[in-house]
Structure formats: C-alpha cells, structure tokens
Amino acid sequence: MELFYHPLSRNCQTVLIALYEKQARFMPRIVAIEDPNIRRQFIKQHPSGRLPLLRTDRGDFLPEPNIIIEYLDHQYPSGTQLIPKEFTQALQVRLLERQIDIDLNNKLFLLEQKQLSLDTLPLILQGLKNEIQTTLAHLNHRLHGRHWLCGDHFTLADCALIPCLMAAKNQFKLYLYYDLDKYLHLAETRGAWIQVQEEIELTSRLTACPIP
C-alpha cells in the first residue's frame, strides 16, 4: 500500500492513527501541497487534489479518511477493530465520525483560514468560535462516563476526533470541559498518536498554512 498524505493535515492524521493502530505496513508518500508546483503535478494525476489518498496493493485509489479506514478494517482484521461488527454500534461510530468532520474539523479549518485573512470581521471569527464551542460542549457531554467516544473501545470516531482536539487546544480552553480534557490526556499517551505527533513535529516548521 501507498499513502499519499501531508503530516499537518488533520484528515491525513486521522488515517495515520488508523494505520498505526492496525500496525499496517505502507509506503509513505508525503505530498507537499503547500508548494504550487507539486500541487499542480498531484492534481494532474489525481484531479480532486485531495489528501489523503491510499493506493491499495491491487492498484486501486481510495480517497476520504472514513473510506480508507473502512478498507483497512476489512483488510487488517488484527489490531484495533475501528468499526464495530455489530450494525447498530457501527452506525453510531460512522455517524460520530461524520459529525466530527463536518461540525468540528471543517469549522476549525474555516476559522484558521479566516484568521489568516486581514479582511475577516471579528464578528465572523467569534461566530465560528461559538459554533465550535457548541460542538465541544456536545462532545464533552458524550464522553461522560466513557474512556473513548463509543465506550471502552477505540474506534474510527476517535481517529477523527483526536487531531481536531490537538489543534483546538491551541485556541480553546479545553480544560473547562472536564470529560473532554480527561479524554485529551488519554489520547496524548496513545501509541498511535505519539507516532503521528512525531511526524507533525518534523513537518510543522516547514509550513504555516492550514491544511484540511
């Protein structure tokens, strides 16, 4: 397998966590999409231009973190089961992953973009922050009495949430959310995230642009 990705992309971090949880062997292909020339070359081969992108051993290309992780769960039954086999539980995990992507990851990215623009009105920034804080409060309530988002087991939903929280803690007082803060400390000691964090630290000084 080959993974085309950028270490600073939260979507890519989601997939990296899953790969490390599965202990899956893959060839890393870092795409420096902040470089216009490299981005143009990548788009020529893959018109969507979106990362991450997984090339399977059969040569098929899979986009989107949730699709890639579903494939990994099927191909690598050993390691962490990221999507439960029981239908109702699996549906809940998939729903939470979608909510995290839409309500947290996308809005964090929009906030980061707006903060880089000198034309953004403070009212717009505050509105985005209020929406993100509403989502954080909902997640805090969800985590009450749970180790992970769906109980005692680490899932696809956690793969999606952890990169978002690691980014959000720089702008939001996550310590005000008791259960979310406890979850964050637990996530920081997870082996898969520690491996991802090492890649982030190696790359973070090379670009200051937000990457979805």
Side-chain angles (χ1 to χ4, degrees), residues 2-9 11-17 19-20 26-34 38 42 50-54 68 195-196 199-200 202-203 211-212:
E2 294 177 86
L3 181 68
F4 298 86
Y5 72 105
H6 193 292
L8 299 189
S9 161
N11 286 334
C12 295
Q13 291 165 15
T14 294
V15 171
L16 286 173
I17 292 171
L19 283 163
Y20 295 141
F26 68 100
M27 182 68 69
R29 303 292 191 193
I30 295 177
V31 182
I33 55 174
E34 69 276 11
I38 292 176
F42 184 70
R50 297 184 65 179
L51 298 174
L53 184 69
L54 184 76
I68 293 171
Q195 288 179 268
V196 175
E199 292 197 49
I200 294 171
L202 286 172
T203 310
I211 298 172

Side-chain angles (χ1 to χ4, degrees), residues 1-4 46 53-63 68 71 75:
M1 292 190 304
E2 294 177 86
L3 181 68
F4 298 86
H46 309 287
L53 184 69
L54 184 76
R55 184 179 186 273
T56 70
D57 292 333
R58 293 178 51 186
D60 299 322
F61 285 94
L62 298 178
I68 293 171
Y71 171 81
Q75 290 295 110

Side-chain angles (χ1 to χ4, degrees), residues 195-209:
Q195 288 179 268
V196 175
Q197 184 64 42
E198 289 172 355
E199 292 197 49
I200 294 171
E201 291 172 356
L202 286 172
T203 310
S204 59
R205 286 173 288 186
L206 300 179
T207 179
C209 298

Side-chain angles (χ1 to χ4, degrees), residues 30-158:
I30 295 177
V31 182
I33 55 174
E34 69 276 11
D35 184 314
N37 292 327
I38 292 176
R39 183 171 181 81
R40 276 195 295 270
Q41 291 172 10
F42 184 70
I43 289 174
K44 282 182 182 179
Q45 295 178 302
H46 309 287
S48 74
R50 297 184 65 179
L51 298 174
L53 184 69
L54 184 76
R55 184 179 186 273
T56 70
D57 292 333
R58 293 178 51 186
D60 299 322
F61 285 94
L62 298 178
E64 301 299 330
N66 56 335
I67 299 298
I68 293 171
I69 293 174
E70 184 122 21
Y71 171 81
L72 293 174
D73 233 22
H74 180 266
Q75 290 295 110
Y76 297 89
S78 62
T80 307
Q81 185 72 36
L82 297 170
I83 301 173
K85 295 188 180 296
E86 198 278 321
F87 174 75
T88 304
Q89 295 175 359
L91 196 65
Q92 184 65 38
V93 167
R94 291 187 178 98
L95 175 61
L96 281 166
E97 183 274 334
R98 288 290 78 216
Q99 290 174 334
I100 290 163
D101 187 44
I102 294 167
D103 295 334
L104 188 56
N105 186 38
N106 287 351
K107 288 179 182 177
L108 278 170
F109 180 61
L110 183 58
L111 177 63
E112 290 160 352
Q113 284 187 314
K114 294 291 185 183
Q115 287 172 329
L116 290 175
S117 173
L118 298 176
D119 299 327
T120 304
L121 296 174
L123 189 62
I124 293 175
L125 292 178
Q126 189 57 52
L128 279 170
K129 289 180 179 179
N130 290 344
E131 291 177 10
I132 292 169
Q133 286 171 332
T134 297
T135 300
L136 293 173
H138 171 74
L139 290 168
N140 184 65
H141 178 74
R142 166 82 193 177
L143 283 164
H144 184 69
R146 294 183 170 95
H147 289 294
W148 302 107
L149 271 175
C150 295
D152 293 331
H153 300 288
F154 190 91
T155 68
L156 162 67
D158 299 295

